[in-house]
């Protein structure tokens, strides 16, 4: 059976990935800092889909714990890596502490870099493997350090796709917009001003992502409306793009 490692699988997009892959027959390695919820998800997926679910508790803000996940990827290679673990800060950059910003950077950039690097070697040796880096439409907009981190994920994934697709390893950035998950609630964001039509369903986002991955795309932007947002962000004057971006974090 193929094996996938998914970070942040206890809720939202990560949970949708875990369920979709289990339904396809993937054995799973599940990585999260919440051991209790991690074990609960593993038990549910194992029972529901008759797949093997390994739990690997790790806080990706902690370098030593991130290295433990790296070792797992290097020593027991997987067929698919989903870098999904999320982190966000509601307050603007001048109000947050540098430690908070470093924690966000560690999860959204450092962990993606290190886990991709760890998984890539064995994949190249087999000339087969796939890596999905969950990013955001925010990566195309000036939206604080969160948007900056996601912009890096987008560019890194596009480059890696170009560099390694010819060697059998596909890397793709998944860039959804607003998705119904616990993400915004946990960060204390007031999302009442977002129109209902802009919200996406996590299961549909993942279904679209897997279809795009298998179609060989470097970037997946689910739904026409968000592809339009990205197109506009590239075509509109900077001042208008900035106004659009102000719906998010400063």
């Amino acid at each position: 059976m193929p094996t996938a490692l998914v970070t942040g699988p206890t809720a939202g997009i990560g949970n949708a990935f875990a369920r979709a892959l289990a339904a396809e027959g993937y054995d799973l390695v599940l990585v999260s800092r919440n051991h209790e919820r991690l074990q609960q998800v593993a038990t549910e997926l194992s029972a529901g889909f008759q797949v093997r679910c390994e739990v690997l508790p790790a806080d990706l803000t902690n370098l030593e714990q991130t290295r433990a996940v790296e070792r797992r990827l290097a020593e027991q290679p997987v067929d698919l890596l989903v870098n999904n673990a999320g982190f966000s800060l509601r307050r603007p950059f001048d109000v947050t502490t540098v430690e908070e910003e470093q924690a966000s950077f560690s999860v959204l950039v450092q962990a993606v870099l290190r886990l991709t690097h760890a998984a890539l070697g064995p994949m190249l040796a087999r000339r087969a493997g796939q890596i999905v880096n969950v990013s955001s439409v925010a990566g195309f907009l000036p939206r604080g350090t969160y948007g900056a981190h996601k912009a890096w994920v987008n560019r890194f994934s596009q480059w890696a796709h170009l560099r390694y697709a010819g060697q059998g390893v596909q890397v793709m950035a998944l860039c959804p917009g607003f998705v119904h998950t616990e993400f915004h609630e946990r960060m204390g964001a007031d999302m009442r001003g977002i129109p209902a039509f802009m919200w996406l369903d996590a299961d549909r986002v993942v279904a679209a992502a897997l279809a795009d991955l298998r179609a060989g795309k470097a970037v997946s932007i689910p739904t026409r409306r968000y592809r339009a947002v990205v197109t506009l962000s590239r075509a509109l004057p900077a001042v208008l793009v900035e106004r659009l971006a102000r719906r998010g974090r400063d």
Side-chain angles (χ1 to χ4, degrees):
M1 281 191 176
T3 302
L5 187 147
V6 182
T7 67
T10 59
I13 293 174
N15 186 258
F17 263 113
R19 285 185 284 106
L21 294 170
E24 293 185 1
Y26 278 79
D27 287 333
L28 298 172
V29 183
L30 304 176
V31 179
S32 172
R33 62 181 178 178
N34 189 324
H35 184 268
E36 183 177 347
R37 289 186 67 178
L38 194 61
Q39 188 60 62
Q40 180 182 352
V41 169
T43 299
E44 291 172 355
L45 293 176
S46 294
F49 299 100
Q50 288 74 57
V51 296
R52 183 176 63 85
C53 290
E54 175 186 342
V55 298
L56 181 53
D59 181 348
L60 298 180
T61 66
N62 182 295
L63 182 55
E64 287 306 313
Q65 294 185 39
T66 302
R67 284 174 172 157
V69 184
E70 292 176 59
R71 288 193 293 272
R72 172 59 176 81
L73 287 166
E75 295 169 3
Q76 301 178 64
V78 300
D79 301 282
L80 171 61
L81 167 64
V82 180
N83 279 313
N84 166 78
F87 197 106
S88 187
L89 301 166
R90 178 57 183 167
R91 299 181 301 165
F93 181 71
D94 59 290
V95 178
T96 55
T97 66
V98 71
E99 287 76 17
E100 290 172 323
E101 292 290 350
Q102 178 63 56
S104 176
F105 179 87
S106 295
V107 174
L108 299 180
V109 177
Q110 178 176 273
V112 172
L113 173 73
R114 297 186 70 99
L115 299 188
T116 298
H117 189 272
L120 187 62
M123 289 180 177
L124 289 173
R126 301 195 313 272
R127 298 189 66 82
Q130 296 174 313
I131 298 171
V132 176
N133 294 323
V134 178
S135 186
S136 171
V137 166
F140 299 98
L141 300 167
R143 295 184 65 174
T145 50
Y146 180 81
H149 297 337
K150 293 304 188 182
W152 179 87
V153 173
N154 292 348
R155 286 300 190 185
F156 173 68
S157 301
Q158 289 174 294
W159 163 78
H161 173 83
L162 290 171
R163 178 69 177 82
Y164 298 112
Q167 299 177 58
V169 179
Q170 185 181 358
V171 182
M172 185 185 80
L174 168 59
C175 302
F178 296 112
V179 183
H180 286 294
T181 69
E182 298 176 2
F183 182 76
H184 299 99
E185 181 181 347
R186 287 202 307 267
M187 66 183 283
D190 182 358
M191 308 303 291
R192 288 175 293 182
I194 306 300
F197 72 90
M198 296 300 288
W199 288 97
L200 306 178
D201 174 77
D203 290 327
R204 292 185 178 182
V205 167
V206 167
L210 291 174
D212 285 346
L213 182 68
R214 286 152 189 171
K217 293 186 179 182
V219 178
S220 173
I221 305 173
T223 75
R224 291 180 180 176
R225 55 190 176 275
Y226 277 110
R227 288 193 287 274
V229 168
V230 172
T231 299
L232 285 172
S233 75
R234 292 166 171 164
L236 289 175
V239 65
L240 295 180
V241 173
E242 184 178 355
R243 288 177 186 172
L244 177 64
R246 284 176 183 169
R247 284 183 172 270
R249 184 187 168 213
D250 294 332

